[in-house]
Amino acid sequence: MSEIQFEIDGKEVKATEGMTILEAAQNVGIFIPTLCHHEKLEPFGGCRVCIVEVEVNGWTKLVVSCVYPVEENIIVRTRSEKVDRIRKTIIELLMAHAPDSPQLQDLAQEYGADKDRFEKDASFCIHCGLCVRYCAEVVKKNAIGFVDRGINKEISFIPEIAAKECNDCKECFPLCPTSYLQAAFVLTEALAFPPPSSEPVSEE
């Protein structure tokens, strides 16, 4: 693959064709925040926190860096007035769902986000898709998936699969940027998993 040269935050960067802006930035130690990216998973672009400003031939646009491929001679800005303003709003929207998430709280402090700006809808899930994609792409068990769509979308364990696979796995738990995944599993376990079999006690 050919090598591509471009600029990130005033620094000349070389990357391999096919890499995303996020990957190229990470390779040279430039931080771009993200909540839905994982190196073992296909790019998803779900959280939108990793937006950056790209300048091409004098024209600028906002792109999602985890899915946008590097291009020759583009100029990338990971922080600008426009990027910070929109990133702040995205964080505030996410905090309406998961106000107690440590990762979101750290980002809110960095960008001056107001956790109370939007009406709370404390579902605790921000639809990053890490658990769903990790289970499907890495573990290959498909024990968890998205249910419904739009504002009603949520993640849910598939009881028939989860009962067999999840107790000995739980690799997705540390990936969750909120507490939702663990709570959803406990609920599924309580409502749907078969109780452990018990042998009748014989009376002598």
Side-chain angles (χ1 to χ4, degrees), residues 29-42:
I30 296 175
F31 176 72
I32 300 175
T34 178
L35 293 170
C36 70
H37 177 75
H38 191 283
E39 62 273 9
K40 292 184 179 180
L41 304 177
E42 289 295 315

Side-chain angles (χ1 to χ4, degrees), residues 73-145:
N73 296 325
I74 61 173
I75 298 172
V76 178
R77 301 180 186 92
T78 66
R79 299 289 298 262
S80 69
E81 183 180 348
K82 183 185 294 185
V83 168
D84 283 10
R85 183 176 69 251
I86 294 177
R87 194 173 282 160
K88 174 186 174 183
T89 300
I90 292 171
I91 294 165
E92 290 170 338
L93 286 166
L94 294 175
M95 292 197 83
H97 294 280
D100 297 324
S101 164
Q103 290 187 47
L104 282 173
Q105 288 176 349
D106 289 345
L107 287 171
Q109 184 174 6
E110 172 69 21
Y111 290 92
D114 179 3
K115 67 182 180 64
D116 297 316
R117 179 180 176 186
F118 295 103
E119 183 179 354
K120 292 290 185 293
D121 178 19
S123 62
F124 304 106
C125 179
I126 60 171
H127 303 152
C128 68
L130 283 172
C131 56
V132 175
R133 294 179 292 130
Y134 191 90
C135 190
E137 297 176 27
V138 179
V139 184
K140 300 188 184 303
K141 296 298 183 182
N142 296 293
I144 186 169

Side-chain angles (χ1 to χ4, degrees), residues 3-204:
E3 191 174 69
I4 292 176
Q5 187 166 329
F6 65 106
E7 181 182 304
I8 305 181
D9 293 343
K11 181 177 182 178
E12 290 296 325
V13 174
K14 293 180 180 180
T16 304
E17 183 181 5
M19 290 180 68
T20 65
I21 290 175
L22 178 63
E23 290 171 327
Q26 290 175 335
N27 279 354
V28 295
I30 296 175
F31 176 72
I32 300 175
T34 178
L35 293 170
C36 70
H37 177 75
H38 191 283
E39 62 273 9
K40 292 184 179 180
L41 304 177
E42 289 295 315
F44 185 59
C47 72
R48 295 295 195 269
V49 173
C50 70
I51 60 163
V52 295
E53 192 172 24
V54 171
E55 181 177 333
V56 184
N57 298 324
W59 293 86
T60 61
K61 57 183 176 180
L62 293 173
V63 303
V64 180
S65 65
C66 70
V67 295
Y68 194 90
V70 296
E71 297 174 351
E72 191 72 33
N73 296 325
I74 61 173
I75 298 172
V76 178
R77 301 180 186 92
T78 66
R79 299 289 298 262
S80 69
E81 183 180 348
K82 183 185 294 185
V83 168
D84 283 10
R85 183 176 69 251
I86 294 177
R87 194 173 282 160
K88 174 186 174 183
T89 300
I90 292 171
I91 294 165
E92 290 170 338
L93 286 166
L94 294 175
M95 292 197 83
H97 294 280
D100 297 324
S101 164
Q103 290 187 47
L104 282 173
Q105 288 176 349
D106 289 345
L107 287 171
Q109 184 174 6
E110 172 69 21
Y111 290 92
D114 179 3
K115 67 182 180 64
D116 297 316
R117 179 180 176 186
F118 295 103
E119 183 179 354
K120 292 290 185 293
D121 178 19
S123 62
F124 304 106
C125 179
I126 60 171
H127 303 152
C128 68
L130 283 172
C131 56
V132 175
R133 294 179 292 130
Y134 191 90
C135 190
E137 297 176 27
V138 179
V139 184
K140 300 188 184 303
K141 296 298 183 182
N142 296 293
I144 186 169
F146 286 115
V147 177
D148 220 321
R149 60 181 63 188
I151 62 173
N152 297 316
K153 184 169 73 172
E154 59 184 30
I155 62 111
S156 178
F157 285 91
I158 292 88
E160 297 81 0
I161 303 175
K164 298 176 182 178
E165 305 291 348
C166 294
N167 272 318
D168 295 327
C169 178
K170 298 180 182 176
E171 290 183 26
C172 60
F173 278 26
L175 305 181
C176 182
T178 76
S179 60
Y180 178 79
L181 185 62
Q182 291 88 332
F185 179 76
V186 170
L187 180 62
T188 302
E189 189 177 36
L191 296 179
F193 285 16
S197 59
S198 57
E199 296 294 331
V201 178
S202 60
E203 296 182 1
E204 295 183 358

